[in-house]
Amino acid sequence: MRTSTLRRALLPATLFGLTLAAEVVACVLSWSLESRYDTVLYALSGATFAAAGALIVIRYPRHLVGWLFCAHALQNALMGDVAQGYGLRAAALGWPGGPAAEWVSTTSWAFNSPILNSIFLLFPDGRLPGRRWRWVLWAGGLGVALAVPGWGLGHLSDGEFAAGRNPLATDAVPTDLLFAAGSALIIGALVASVAALGVRLRAARGVPRQQLKWFTYAAAVAGVFLPTALVLWNVWPGVRILPAVALTALPIAACVAILRFRLYDIDVVINRTLVYGTITVLLAAAFAATVLTLGTVLGRGSPVATAVATLVVAVAFRPLRARVQAGVDRRFNRARYDALRRMADFLDALRAGRAAAEQVRDVLRDLLDDPGLDLLFFQTERAIYVDADGEPVADVDEAAAGRTRLPISRRDEPVALVLHRPRPDPLPRDVVAAGGLAIEMARLRVELRRQLAEVRASRARIVAAADEERRRIERDLHDGAQQRLVSIGLALRHAQHQLGAGAAGSARASRTLDDAVTQLGAAIDGLRELARGLPPAQLGGGLAPAFAELARQSPVPVEVRVDLPPVVTA
């Protein structure tokens, strides 16, 4: 198995190595002869394409998109970057073949377009969306056939040569017409290829839909940047970095999509792009309108106008963001919008007292369509998790078996743990975050119930201890002093009978009374022993009340003065 994997990785790894080596050579040749950002960005773009293609092909050897990435990277590195670097260096040092290298470099963009069109049309499974889409490839190829002579033999490309003139330019060919027609076909094929992704996206469901979202997002960026760069290439040099930026995003998105790494994060990316893009446009318009309006009144360049406009933007940001976010969710992520709206309704009911915080678990189960969802609360004092009834969870790992853990924390302190059915989308995280207040309240209520239960248990233990002490005293009285007193009573009654029997009876009565007196002393000792085990009635209020109570019971008048602080017994 390992040998097979190595063989499978040999060719894509070789292509990646060749591309990387070519980009290094290109950087060395071009260094200091052009803008460094241009050299670095295009080298990184080529290396990214090669790496993405190699990774895809190693995982799926028959995947055409991976091979197209490898081909695009190597072709662009050799025909584009190396040829450009050699042409620049040849012009600077007088090397031979400089103009030819420059010509190859300046026409390389056209040869890239059919590969890019094929990638768009074949993504994500390596098959065309339908037979009718073949005309896009033919149109793109025809565009290349027209654009290459129109660009490479015309004066439009003069600025791409170090000498300032295309050595192959000729007036014998209608180059402007050829370039216009070829460019139109190339741009049309590119737009149609991107449209094919949209067609696939509308029909796709599940994982393929998420894959297409990733690549469609990157392709949409490329579909805007590439035509813009083509149109403004000789007008504004700054646009020349746009293809590198846009094209670098394509292989990254393709890798994420085809290798299925965090597929559902694209929903967050698209959401944030739409929200903050819209906010940026609206706030910029508000800023400009405010400055223009106040500038008319206060004078052009007034710092007051700028300050007021900045204040307007700062005040409007939060409510505008909330409205735009709700609008984007309602239009592009209806499930998330409905779930968050229902969670907001529950929180409103909770604040109004129409709902209990403990219902948050049932709300989460309903919103996520997961009847087995569990909500465990972290008890800080005992450092354990408990369920909704306050019962400790002995083994969290066992409880979480087969389910996804979603921890909740406040200020880096654990609050709760949501255990839900595995699902790839971020909806559980969003819904739980929205319901954080209810979860925190539920945790506090569970903790309060636990403490109240402990108080009730403590009271029950106190009552049970008091009952047990009362029963002990009853037993001691019954088995000790009470029996002795009964015996004394019987002895006295016997002595009474003996006194009525004459002199002999008097002697016996005397002995009986002596025994009774002895038993009475024993009974008194037993009562003292019993009383010694009982705390004074006023001891709970401190030593002073207890001493005062004892003084009142004394037959001799006693005055008590206590200077000690009161003692409170636990």
Side-chain angles (χ1 to χ4, degrees), residues 132-493:
R132 67 181 183 274
W133 291 96
R134 292 180 179 177
W135 68 265
V136 177
L137 296 177
W138 287 106
L142 179 60
V144 172
L146 296 175
V148 168
W151 177 261
L153 300 179
H155 292 287
L156 290 174
S157 59
D158 284 346
E160 301 299 313
F161 291 85
R165 186 180 184 280
N166 182 356
L168 299 181
T170 178
D171 295 328
V173 179
T175 54
D176 292 349
L177 179 62
L178 290 176
F179 178 72
S183 298
L185 286 173
I186 290 174
I187 293 175
L190 180 61
V191 172
S193 300
V194 175
L197 290 174
V199 172
R200 285 182 184 265
L201 182 62
R202 290 178 63 88
R205 295 293 182 271
V207 171
R209 181 175 179 81
Q210 296 305 118
Q211 291 177 313
L212 286 164
K213 279 185 179 180
W214 271 105
F215 198 67
T216 302
Y217 179 80
V221 174
V224 173
F225 282 10
L226 293 181
T228 302
L230 180 63
V231 173
L232 301 178
W233 190 267
N234 289 326
V235 178
W236 182 33
V239 300
R240 299 184 181 187
I241 68 170
L242 293 182
V245 175
L247 294 178
T248 301
L250 281 175
I252 296 174
C255 255
V256 171
I258 294 176
L259 301 181
R260 302 185 182 185
F261 176 74
R262 302 187 68 169
L263 275 180
Y264 284 81
D265 284 357
I266 186 58
D267 294 325
V268 178
V269 174
I270 295 175
N271 189 290
R272 295 293 184 267
T273 301
L274 292 173
V275 169
Y276 288 103
T278 304
I279 290 175
T280 301
V281 172
L282 294 177
L283 291 181
F287 183 88
T290 304
V291 170
L292 181 62
T293 302
L294 293 179
T296 303
V297 177
L298 302 175
R300 186 176 181 180
S302 172
V304 176
T306 304
V308 173
T310 303
L311 180 62
V312 169
V313 169
V315 172
F317 176 77
R318 287 183 63 86
L320 181 62
R321 181 187 179 280
R323 285 182 173 273
V324 173
Q325 182 72 69
V328 170
D329 287 343
R330 185 168 56 251
R331 176 64 181 85
F332 296 98
N333 196 347
R334 189 72 189 190
R336 181 180 185 274
Y337 173 78
D338 290 340
L340 294 183
R341 181 177 56 80
R342 290 173 61 187
M343 178 59 75
D345 292 341
F346 170 70
L347 292 177
D348 291 339
L350 183 62
R351 295 186 186 98
R354 299 191 304 270
E358 291 81 355
Q359 295 174 336
V360 65
R361 182 182 64 176
D362 296 331
V363 173
L364 291 175
R365 287 177 174 178
D366 184 33
L367 296 181
L368 299 178
D369 191 23
D370 185 2
L373 181 144
D374 276 336
L375 182 58
L376 306 181
F377 302 101
F378 186 77
Q379 300 298 310
T380 306
E381 294 180 0
R382 298 185 290 174
I384 61 171
Y385 281 97
V386 299
D387 59 18
D389 298 324
E391 296 296 327
V393 178
D395 191 344
V396 176
D397 293 335
E398 182 179 351
R403 294 189 285 182
T404 299
R405 300 188 188 192
L406 183 56
I408 306 168
S409 60
R410 291 286 184 275
R411 296 181 295 273
D412 297 329
E413 294 292 333
V415 172
L417 183 66
V418 177
L419 305 177
H420 64 87
R421 183 178 55 209
R423 52 187 299 166
D425 63 313
L427 184 60
R429 184 169 58 251
D430 296 339
V431 172
V432 169
L437 175 63
I439 294 173
E440 176 69 13
M441 291 177 62
R443 185 187 73 87
L444 294 176
R445 289 171 67 93
V446 168
E447 175 66 14
L448 179 60
R449 285 200 304 270
R450 183 189 67 81
Q451 292 178 353
L452 290 176
E454 290 182 354
V455 170
R456 286 193 293 268
S458 177
R459 288 180 177 177
R461 289 193 297 271
I462 292 173
V463 172
D467 290 342
E468 179 62 27
E469 183 66 15
R470 180 179 56 80
R471 287 190 292 269
R472 184 188 67 79
I473 293 173
E474 289 178 351
R475 288 194 303 270
D476 291 345
L477 289 174
H478 180 272
D479 298 339
Q482 181 178 343
Q483 294 295 333
R484 294 181 186 277
L485 292 175
V486 171
S487 177
I488 292 171
L490 292 176
L492 292 176
R493 178 65 63 183

Side-chain angles (χ1 to χ4, degrees), residues 100-121:
E102 289 179 301
W103 191 91
V104 171
S105 171
T106 194
T107 57
S108 64
W109 62 269
F111 294 99
N112 284 336
S113 60
I115 300 178
L116 291 177
N117 292 341
S118 300
I119 291 173
F120 293 153
L121 289 171

